[in-house]
Amino acid sequence: MKNSALLLFASILFSNTINAQLKTVKYADGNQALNGLFIKSAKKSSNNPGILLLPAWFGIDNASKAMAEKLSKLGYHVFIADIYGEGNYPKNTSEAGKQAGYYKTNFAEYQKRINIALQELIKSGANADNIAAIGYCFGGTGVLEAARAHLNLKGVASFHGGLGKDAARTVEPITTKVLVCHGADDPFVSKEEIAAFQQEMRDSKADWQMIYYANAVHAFTHEDAGNDNSKGAAYNAVAAKRSFEHLQLFLNEVLKK
């Protein structure tokens, strides 16, 4: 009887847990080959919640992979988008700045690449009506563009991302819920940019929140950013921990598990 009970417990445990592993997904935007990464939820759910993850300006990195694995253990299907594509991956900060700058300026192309990645997440098993997007730095800018583009997302969360957009662009209603996690001492986002973003959120009638983290500068979630705030970008363990907790609260609100 004891052995039977143990076998039953093991069977239930196995049925509720799926072996989670990052897998390369080859897809394309026209003739441009793209290479995303997908990891399925480590938990079974009839709602199949999904998270589209937009990485920082170097593209898919160890930080985005680690976050995807972390989120899969919490019960989410996660797809890491490849924005640049084969032949365009930056080798240094100069190239990264050039690539990211191109998509920030040509925002419609950025929005298109994000939407293509979103469709891959859905193809991989996520519920099309139960998805959120999160992004870091350049990717943080991207999730805001996803909200502006009216992509079918329940929420977007931006971590130390650029907030601005061309003032000539029309402000349209934003129905996607918005979370912005921002370093209080980030030197790369001006007071004017913050003020303009907040006004945009008000004018667009968005459901938004912006959280500031003390003593945090740009890239505060990235462990490989060092710890020297004077450089403008640095890891802050306290801010990283708090912002992840805020992300979990946000996801619990906007997605069904």
Side-chain angles (χ1 to χ4, degrees):
M1 187 70 178
K2 184 178 179 180
N3 289 338
S4 297
L6 287 172
L7 288 171
L8 177 60
F9 175 77
S11 173
I12 293 172
L13 182 64
F14 180 79
S15 67
N16 287 324
T17 304
I18 303 170
N19 183 30
Q21 184 178 1
L22 281 165
K23 296 180 180 179
T24 299
V25 177
K26 292 186 176 296
Y27 61 117
D29 178 3
N31 294 324
Q32 176 61 63
L34 302 165
N35 298 290
L37 288 176
F38 173 73
I39 185 167
K40 61 184 177 181
S41 168
K43 301 177 181 179
K44 283 188 175 181
S45 168
S46 58
N47 291 311
N48 291 328
I51 296 177
L52 179 63
L53 196 160
L54 305 185
W57 67 341
F58 267 99
I60 297 175
D61 54 12
N62 289 332
S64 57
K65 293 176 185 177
M67 180 55 66
E69 291 173 348
K70 196 172 183 178
L71 290 168
S72 76
K73 292 176 182 177
L74 295 178
Y76 302 100
H77 292 303
V78 186
F79 188 87
I80 309 176
D82 176 10
I83 300 300
Y84 303 141
E86 288 184 13
N88 302 309
Y89 303 129
K91 301 179 184 65
N92 50 52
T93 55
S94 177
E95 291 184 7
K98 183 177 180 180
Q99 287 281 20
Y102 172 82
Y103 285 98
K104 287 180 181 179
T105 301
N106 297 278
F107 64 90
E109 291 188 42
Y110 197 6
Q111 293 171 340
K112 180 185 177 185
R113 284 281 166 91
I114 295 168
N115 189 40
I116 291 172
L118 175 60
Q119 301 314 309
E120 291 300 321
L121 172 57
I122 295 168
K123 290 177 187 177
S124 297
N127 182 338
D129 295 316
N130 198 29
I131 295 175
I134 67 174
Y136 298 83
C137 299
F138 169 56
T141 302
V143 297
L144 296 179
E145 287 298 345
R148 291 167 180 143
H150 311 295
L151 299 190
N152 187 24
L153 296 165
K154 296 301 183 183
V156 299
S158 172
F159 296 82
H160 41 80
L163 307 175
K165 70 177 184 64
D166 190 334
R169 290 171 61 182
T170 303
V171 175
E172 299 181 357
I174 291 178
T175 56
T176 301
K177 294 183 179 181
V178 177
L179 168 66
V180 171
C181 297
H182 184 71
D185 299 327
D186 190 332
F188 299 116
V189 182
S190 68
K191 293 179 180 178
E192 291 76 17
E193 184 174 330
I194 291 172
F197 167 75
Q198 293 183 353
Q199 190 59 51
E200 177 195 0
M201 291 297 100
R202 295 185 184 96
D203 292 342
S204 64
K205 308 300 182 185
D207 180 346
W208 68 285
Q209 52 189 304
M210 185 169 182
I211 304 172
Y212 292 78
Y213 301 96
N215 306 311
V217 291
H218 196 65
F220 62 79
T221 66
H222 281 56
E223 293 186 34
D224 59 0
N227 56 13
D228 185 355
N229 278 15
S230 69
K231 294 182 178 180
Y235 176 63
N236 184 305
V238 173
K241 178 177 181 293
R242 289 175 177 172
S243 63
F244 183 68
E245 291 172 348
H246 288 137
L247 172 63
Q248 291 181 82
L249 289 172
F250 183 69
L251 294 176
N252 287 339
E253 175 187 336
V254 303
L255 298 180
K256 296 178 181 178
K257 293 181 74 173

